[in-house]
Amino acid sequence: VTSQVQLINSVSVTGGTLRTTNGGNFSIGGNAAVDQITGTSGTITVMAAGALSAVNGINFNGVNGGPGGTLSLSAPSVTFGTAASEINGALFNGGDATGPSSPGGDGGAFTVTATSGDITVGSDIEASTGANGSSVSTGGTGGTVNLTANNGQVTVNNRIQVSHNSGSRKSASGGNINITSGKTTGVAINVSSSAQLLALLNAAAPGPGGKITILATSPTGNSSSINVNGTVQADRGTVDIEHAGDNGQINLTNADVRADIVKIGAFGTNGTLNVGGGILSADTTLKLYAPGSSGTINFIADVTLSGASTKIIAADTVKIFDAITVTIGGANPASVFTNHAHYSGIF
């Protein structure tokens, strides 16, 4: 049975469990400070005057080898963290296997939309596969996590993981992480040094690998930035970091980015990609590009472009700052396409 519950005006709910199953729909106009949010599928909509917190987080884990659940959460702003006023993490993992020859369940899907404010990830989010039976090498498919701030900032300080490659939790295919912000000034997306965006996959898994997308939208007049300082890894998959703004910036600062295909592009007319240290590693293709008429790629700290991939660097201006070393891994030199080269003897 599909149900709908609405908390309007100043109606408040404190404690207990908010449970939504079979596509149930909660609309919250008051305050819902619950112990935990559980279920199998549904939608939670928090109105402009409403507030939602869950001291024990969200648990949509599957059971008995079944898939993780599906939930769409929409609110003015959403904060995952350990404070009483926050949502303490989210679990959408597949259920563990029921026997030695059974696979773990598929990862679920969690979609979060901040309608006017920010999304902050200060506690872990998982939508991965369950544990496999002892005779099963790889199990369920990876899950999906979507975070969208229509006008605000998305900040990730903790782990988001959508597929596994450890112990009995070895996924059959990679999961997907999509982070999007429409903020037009300041920092649109911040993946901090403590953050991990993980779509892990064993080399023997059937695949395919997953995809991690980080996207700043709203191109007209947009001068916001994407800052990546943490770990972004999609084994046998794709990492795609894009800024569509006219004057948008992507700042990589000691980031660790790894995938089969890595694409990082500032697409605006005056788009800028600043590479400030760390490791960018790809097995097949590594592309750094700022294709606008005044697009710029700046190497502002020592960095390693690693892996066996073809490496392509393309922008109107490519500059390596003084005393900075760009180390190119693999057998072939990088291919550089630029109208204004401010470097020598590097590529």
Side-chain angles (χ1 to χ4, degrees):
V1 177
T2 299
S3 61
Q4 179 170 321
V5 176
Q6 186 172 17
L7 304 178
I8 61 174
N9 300 326
S10 59
V11 173
S12 295
V13 173
T14 303
T17 299
L18 190 161
R19 181 169 177 80
T20 177
T21 61
N22 299 323
N25 182 8
F26 278 85
S27 297
I28 300 171
N31 177 49
V34 301
D35 293 332
Q36 191 174 57
I37 301 168
T38 67
T40 57
S41 66
T43 300
I44 299 174
T45 304
V46 182
M47 308 303 183
L52 174 65
S53 61
V55 69
N56 292 314
I58 299 173
N59 188 340
F60 271 57
N61 280 345
V63 296
N64 298 326
T70 300
L71 178 65
S72 294
L73 170 61
S74 176
S77 61
V78 181
T79 300
F80 298 92
T82 57
S85 60
E86 300 170 342
I87 299 172
N88 191 0
L91 298 172
F92 289 78
N93 297 313
D96 291 343
T98 56
S101 61
S102 300
D106 299 340
F110 186 31
T111 296
V112 180
T113 303
T115 54
S116 57
D118 301 334
I119 296 174
T120 302
V121 180
S123 54
D124 292 346
I125 297 174
E126 272 197 18
S128 187
T129 52
N132 300 313
S134 58
S135 63
V136 176
S137 58
T138 58
T141 60
T144 299
V145 173
N146 302 312
L147 306 179
T148 301
N150 291 342
N151 304 299
Q153 177 177 320
V154 180
T155 299
V156 182
N157 295 321
N158 280 62
R159 178 176 57 93
I160 301 174
Q161 185 158 359
V162 290
S163 52
H164 266 76
N165 178 26
S166 59
S168 61
R169 294 184 72 184
K170 288 186 172 67
S171 304
S173 62
N176 300 299
I177 300 172
N178 300 295
I179 299 175
T180 304
S181 171
K183 189 176 182 184
T184 58
T185 59
V187 178
I189 299 172
N190 183 39
V191 180
S192 74
S193 59
S194 59
Q196 295 177 297
L197 304 180
L198 303 176
L200 306 184
L201 193 64
N202 189 270
K211 185 173 184 180
I212 300 173
T213 301
I214 301 172
L215 174 63
T217 60
S218 299
T220 303
N222 191 333
S223 60
S224 67
S225 67
I226 295 174
N227 298 338
V228 179
N229 305 73
T231 299
V232 184
Q233 183 171 344
D235 294 338
R236 297 169 53 197
T238 299
V239 170
D240 191 358
I241 303 173
E242 298 183 9
H243 201 307
D246 290 338
N247 300 293
Q249 283 195 4
I250 299 175
N251 301 308
L252 306 178
T253 306
N254 294 321
D256 187 344
V257 181
R258 300 171 186 265
D260 182 55
I261 298 171
V262 174
K263 298 185 293 182
I264 305 174
F267 287 95
T269 302
N270 300 299
T272 301
L273 169 56
N274 293 315
V275 183
I279 296 175
L280 308 179
S281 180
D283 298 322
T284 299
T285 303
L286 172 60
K287 291 184 178 181
L288 307 178
Y289 46 111
S293 58
S294 298
T296 301
I297 297 176
N298 294 316
F299 292 91
I300 60 177
D302 294 349
V303 65
T304 299
L305 307 183
S306 186
S309 62
T310 299
K311 298 169 181 67
I312 299 171
I313 300 168
D316 179 58
T317 298
V318 174
K319 181 176 182 179
I320 299 176
F321 280 46
D322 292 344
I324 298 305
T325 300
V326 179
T327 301
I328 307 298
N332 301 312
S335 298
V336 182
F337 304 91
T338 184
N339 296 316
H340 304 94
H342 295 278
Y343 59 87
S344 61
I346 301 295
F347 297 113

